[in-house]
Amino acid sequence: MEDSITNSASATNHITLTAGNLLSPENIDRLTTLGLNLLFAVIILIIGAWVAKLIKGMITKVLNRKHMDPIIVGFLANLAYILLLVSVVLAALDRLGVKTTSFVAIIGAAGLAIGLALQGALANFAAGFLMVIFRPFKKGDYIEAGGTAGIVDENQEVTSILNTPDNRRVIVPNSKIMGDNITNYSAKDSRRLDLIFGVSYADDIAKVKKVLERVVAEDPRVLKEPAAQILVGELGESSVNFIMRVWIKSSDYWPFKFDTTEKVKITFDKEGISIPFPQRDVHLFQQK
């Protein structure tokens, strides 16, 4: 019984001493300093986040005034906002007395690991960003790139979507497009079209030229400048090959080619101009 009373008294004395230590001038100063640092850290976070958001809005307004692509505007504004927030968090931690050097090292190591794991995706993202900046093509253009050809339907951050003439949907990584040649058939309003027609050596060359010139003159899709040309391009093995060189609008390229090919055949038949095909004479010799 006496031992229990003694133990209780000791515990009471210990609690009293601990409470007394907490209320000592040194601990009060430490708690006051910690509380002020915590308060300042919270203020830094609040004001820093507000300033970061304000700067993001300013960047967005400035870039929009320059009529930049919305994807670029959003990318740059968000990137600046994230960097500013990271700086604000590091400043708040430094105010609390936390060594930020270790955090920077951890963030750097994590960024390196993520970069190595997603290097393909990051390469595609970077290529998509470059395509938005340099604009080698736009939606609706017919291009040949990345080992395929088609009409550009979408230009996303990581991939580009092309629709082929036979209505197939092809998804091409942006890095593959930017890493090779890009041929944009819709970049210019007009294109040159060369059509080759072969006639027999027995036909009158002057007559053939007049017929082809008449076919060109009757089609309003042919541009006046540069002027159309009818040329003798080659003396082939079995035919004299004429080149019909005309300039037309890019949108008329394929319709003009198909229509003119049909019209030339019909006109040649009416004018008695023959279109030869390769022939080979085989001579047999009988040996006695």
Side-chain angles (χ1 to χ4, degrees):
M1 186 67 177
E2 293 178 356
D3 293 338
S4 299
I5 295 172
T6 304
N7 292 334
S8 298
S10 298
T12 303
N13 291 333
H14 178 70
I15 294 172
T16 304
L17 289 173
T18 303
N21 290 334
L22 288 174
L23 296 177
S24 65
E26 294 180 358
N27 287 335
I28 291 175
D29 291 339
R30 290 177 182 176
L31 291 174
T32 303
T33 303
L34 179 61
L36 290 175
N37 288 335
L38 182 61
L39 178 62
F40 284 129
V42 173
I43 293 174
I44 290 173
L45 287 175
I46 295 174
I47 297 178
W50 178 76
V51 172
K53 190 174 182 179
L54 181 64
I55 294 176
K56 177 184 176 181
M58 293 174 60
I59 293 174
T60 303
K61 289 181 179 179
V62 171
L63 295 181
N64 284 332
R65 288 176 182 173
K66 295 181 178 294
H67 303 288
M68 295 186 67
D69 192 277
I71 296 178
I72 301 178
V73 174
F75 179 84
L76 294 178
N78 289 329
L79 180 61
Y81 182 68
I82 292 172
L83 293 176
L84 289 172
L85 283 183
V86 171
S87 301
V88 169
V89 171
L90 292 177
L93 291 175
D94 184 67
R95 183 65 186 181
L96 291 174
V98 180
K99 294 183 178 179
T100 57
T101 306
S102 57
F103 283 93
V104 173
I106 293 173
I107 293 174
L112 178 61
I114 294 173
L116 292 175
L118 301 176
Q119 56 181 344
L122 292 176
N124 289 326
F125 179 79
F129 182 71
L130 291 177
M131 283 195 293
V132 172
I133 293 177
F134 295 108
R135 289 280 186 184
F137 52 81
K138 63 182 184 299
K139 183 176 181 179
D141 287 351
Y142 185 85
I143 67 169
E144 182 178 347
T148 188
I151 300 173
V152 179
D153 183 42
E154 292 184 41
N155 183 16
Q156 300 175 346
E157 289 81 1
V158 179
T159 59
S160 294
I161 300 176
L162 306 180
N163 292 330
T164 62
D166 56 351
N167 206 27
R168 288 179 296 145
R169 190 176 180 89
V170 182
I171 301 175
V172 188
N174 287 334
S175 60
K176 192 172 182 180
I177 294 178
M178 291 298 291
D180 205 346
N181 295 333
I182 301 174
T183 303
N184 191 340
Y185 294 98
S186 304
K188 300 295 184 179
D189 294 333
S190 61
R191 290 180 59 186
R192 193 187 77 184
L193 174 60
D194 292 351
L195 295 175
I196 299 177
F197 301 101
V199 299
S200 172
Y201 275 93
D203 291 318
D204 185 3
I205 292 180
K207 180 181 179 181
V208 175
K209 290 188 69 173
K210 289 181 179 179
V211 170
L212 293 177
E213 288 173 353
R214 186 171 74 245
V215 170
V216 171
E218 292 175 352
D219 199 315
R221 291 173 293 186
V222 178
L223 301 179
K224 302 300 181 182
E225 292 293 335
Q229 293 177 300
I230 305 298
L231 308 168
V232 178
E234 181 186 15
L235 301 177
E237 293 183 359
S238 58
S239 64
V240 179
N241 296 326
F242 283 81
I243 299 176
M244 177 188 290
R245 178 169 293 171
V246 296
W247 286 85
I248 55 177
K249 292 182 179 180
S250 298
S251 57
D252 293 333
Y253 186 89
W254 292 109
F256 178 86
K257 180 178 181 179
F258 297 141
D259 295 344
T260 303
T261 302
E262 179 181 354
K263 187 174 182 180
V264 167
K265 175 63 171 66
I266 295 174
T267 306
F268 277 3
D269 291 343
K270 290 181 179 179
E271 296 291 337
I273 300 173
S274 59
I275 301 177
F277 51 89
Q279 300 183 33
R280 178 168 295 178
D281 294 333
V282 179
H283 300 276
L284 300 178
F285 296 94
Q286 183 177 4
Q287 294 183 352
K288 296 181 179 180

